[in-house]
Amino acid sequence: MSQIEKKFLETFGEEPDLVAAAPGRVNLIGEHIDYSDGFVLPFAIKDRTLVAARKRNDSTVRIASAQRRNKIVTVDINQVKPGLKGEWERYALGVLWSMGVTEGVDLMIDGHVPLGAGLSSSAALECSVATAMNHLFDMGFNLEELARLTQKAENQYVGVPCGIMDQSVSLMATQGSALLLDCRDLSTKNISFDVASHGLELLIIDTQAHHALTDGGYAERRASCESVVAKLGISSLRELTMEQLEGSRALINETEFVRARHAVTEMKRVLDCVEALNVSDFEKVGQLINQSHISLRDDYTVSCPELDTAVDAALSAGALGSRMVGGGFGGSAIALIQASKTTETIGAIEKAFSSKGFKAPRFFTSLPSQGAELISRR
Ligand code: GLA
C-alpha cells in the first residue's frame, strides 16, 4: 500500500477507491499573457499533489490533508457553493462545485508542491482533485474542459482572478517537453526541452518573498489589459501588433500603453523562443528570457527587489538567461545555467540575498515532468 493509501486508511478507516496526482509548474516564457489570449510555454515540475478518494453513499464530503494532521473538514455536498467560508480546502471544494459533483466523497490530500513559491501549488491541488473526480464518478470531461472547470473553481469559488495557464499545464503536460499552449483555444504542442543533453540546467529560485500586494496587483494588471481591449474595440490583445499599438497611443493612457506593450512583445517572444528551442539555440532562449524579465519589471511592474536580485546575481554568475516566473511580487525566478556552474550560481545568489538582508532563498531543479494522471484504482 502506498503512503497516501495508508494515510487514507488511518484517517477514514477504509481504503480509497483511487489515487490521482497533478504537478506544479514553472513557465519558461509567456508571462501575464494567458488572460490576453496569448501563447505561453510552461512545463510541469516533478513535485506534485496526490489525492486519494473514495465514494460514500451519502451526501457528506470529508477532506483531510497529510500536511494538517488533526483536521478533517466535513461539509454536506449540497452546501458547497461560492461564498462558503474555509481555508485551503476551498480549492478542492471549488472543484467539486465547478464539476457538478452531487454525491459524498472522502478525500485525502498530500501536497508536495512548495507552497507560496509561485509554482502553482493551487493548480496542482485543483487538478489532482479534478482528475480524481473525473475517474471516480466517470464524468468523462476532456482535458480542455477540466482546465476550464478548475480555472472556474479558482475564479468563482476561491475568488482569485487567475488565467488558464497553470491548470492547463498541470493537466496537459508531457514528460520531457514544455507545453506550447494557445490560451485562445487551449490547443497545445509539445516542445522538446532537453537542456541536460546540452550541459545546461534550469535552476528554480524561490525568493521566499510574498508581498501583500499580490492579489490586488494581479487584478489591476488584468484590468489594464481589459481596458485597452475595450478602448481599442478588439477582442483581445492577441489581435494587436506593435504598429497598431503605437498608432493607438492617443486612445489609451500611458499605463495602459506599457501594459499592452508587455503583452504584445511577450507573445512574440514566446514564438521566437519556440523557434530557438527547435534548433537548440540556447543563447537565443537565454536572451528572450532576459527580455521577458525586463518587460515584466519595467513595463508590467510585477517584479520586486528579491526577484530582481536573484535575476541580476544569476546573470552576473554567467547564466544564459534569468527571469521572474508566475504572477510576480515575490515567488520564484528561473535561471538557465551551465550545469557545471550550479553550485557557483547558487552561492552567488545566496550571497547577494544575504548582503541585502533578504530571507535566504530556496533552490530547486526540475526536468519537464508528466501532467495529471490516475495513479491507481481498486
Ligand atoms: C499566475 C496565474 C496565471 C498567469 C500567471 C502569470 O500564475 O495563475 O494564470 O496569469 O500568474 O503569467
Side-chain angles (χ1 to χ4, degrees):
M1 205 186 290
S2 67
Q3 276 300 96
I4 189 162
E5 288 168 319
K6 274 191 211 142
K7 283 174 189 155
F8 190 101
L9 179 61
E10 276 163 32
T11 309
F12 297 121
E14 312 226 35
E15 285 182 37
D17 292 331
L18 57 77
V19 178
R25 64 96 188 93
V26 286
N27 189 15
L28 212 47
I29 197 159
E31 213 66 86
H32 275 283
I33 52 173
D34 58 346
Y35 49 79
S36 292
D37 278 355
F39 291 100
V40 294
L41 192 61
F43 67 78
I45 57 173
K46 63 179 185 314
D47 304 293
R48 52 193 196 167
T49 292
L50 300 170
V51 55
R54 183 184 168 89
K55 273 190 200 175
R56 297 172 55 91
N57 41 28
D58 58 15
S59 59
T60 302
V61 175
R62 294 190 296 176
I63 309 183
S65 156
Q67 281 70 41
R68 285 156 224 261
R69 282 237 148 240
N70 298 318
K71 193 176 165 204
I72 300 180
V73 175
T74 305
V75 58
D76 190 283
I77 189 72
N78 299 307
Q79 264 151 16
V80 177
K81 295 193 181 74
L84 186 69
K85 296 230 175 334
E87 297 171 28
W88 61 274
E89 75 278 3
R90 286 180 308 142
Y91 291 89
L93 291 175
V95 171
L96 301 190
W97 166 77
S98 70
M99 290 178 80
V101 171
T102 53
E103 295 167 53
V105 63
D106 286 337
L107 298 175
M108 165 62 74
I109 313 279
D110 191 4
H112 295 276
V113 181
L115 294 179
L119 300 176
S120 284
S121 56
S122 51
L125 173 51
E126 290 153 3
C127 295
S128 60
V129 171
T131 304
M133 294 305 100
N134 206 27
H135 287 283
L136 192 67
F137 294 113
D138 293 320
M139 299 179 101
F141 290 117
N142 64 31
L143 296 180
E144 288 85 43
E145 288 166 334
L146 288 179
R148 300 228 184 264
L149 290 168
T150 44
Q151 183 199 22
K152 181 178 171 189
E154 187 151 345
N155 289 169
Q156 296 182 27
Y157 193 99
V158 183
V160 176
C162 66
I164 192 89
M165 169 172 74
D166 305 343
Q167 293 80 5
S168 300
V169 64
S170 181
L171 289 160
M172 299 174 193
T174 315
Q175 190 168 0
S177 297
L179 186 78
L180 176 64
L181 173 75
D182 181 342
C183 298
R184 183 152 67 184
D185 60 11
L186 297 193
S187 59
T188 62
K189 194 167 174 202
N190 288 327
I191 307 295
S192 171
F193 185 66
D194 179 16
V195 285
S197 71
H198 292 84
L200 301 174
E201 179 136 74
L202 194 83
L203 184 65
I204 303 168
I205 308 137
D206 172 11
T207 63
Q208 302 245 49
H210 315 290
H211 290 269
L213 267 174
T214 313
D215 289 349
Y218 186 92
E220 191 267 338
R221 301 307 182 280
R222 251 194 107 142
S224 282
C225 292
E226 280 157 16
S227 172
V228 173
V229 164
K231 287 182 181 173
L232 302 191
I234 52 179
S235 65
S236 77
L237 294 182
R238 169 80 168 268
E239 288 177 27
L240 208 55
T241 62
M242 259 328 282
E243 293 70 45
Q244 288 164 329
L245 179 60
E246 292 284 0
S248 314
R249 229 176 156 138
L251 301 174
I252 54 181
N253 66 39
E254 184 56 22
T255 302
E256 289 167 341
F257 176 77
V258 292
R259 302 285 193 252
R261 181 165 65 188
H262 166 73
V264 174
T265 58
E266 185 78 353
M267 289 188 202
K268 167 115 177 30
R269 281 189 286 273
V270 175
L271 299 179
D272 290 349
C273 187
V274 169
E275 267 182 34
L277 283 172
N278 284 340
V279 294
S280 299
D281 184 351
F282 290 103
E283 292 286 334
K284 178 79 185 171
V285 171
Q287 287 163 12
L288 291 162
I289 287 176
N290 289 338
Q291 287 163 13
S292 172
H293 184 74
I294 292 166
S295 181
L296 288 159
R297 184 191 66 196
D298 299 345
D299 276 357
Y300 223 64
T301 59
V302 288
S303 191
C304 66
E306 291 86 347
L307 285 166
D308 291 340
T309 300
V311 166
D312 292 345
L315 291 176
S316 303
L320 281 75
S322 183
R323 68 175 199 88
M324 55 152 283
V325 291
F329 309 106
S332 291
I334 53 170
L336 184 62
I337 60 175
Q338 303 289 346
S340 58
K341 285 195 168 176
T342 307
T343 314
E344 193 183 324
T345 310
I346 288 177
I349 298 168
E350 280 173 337
K351 197 166 157 216
F353 268 56
S354 100
S355 76
K356 293 198 172 171
F358 297 154
K359 198 171 168 188
R362 292 188 293 177
F363 299 90
F364 311 94
T365 55
S366 178
L367 296 173
S369 305
Q370 184 58 39
E373 58 189 339
L374 182 66
I375 293 188
S376 62
R377 179 167 207 167
R378 276 205 306 154

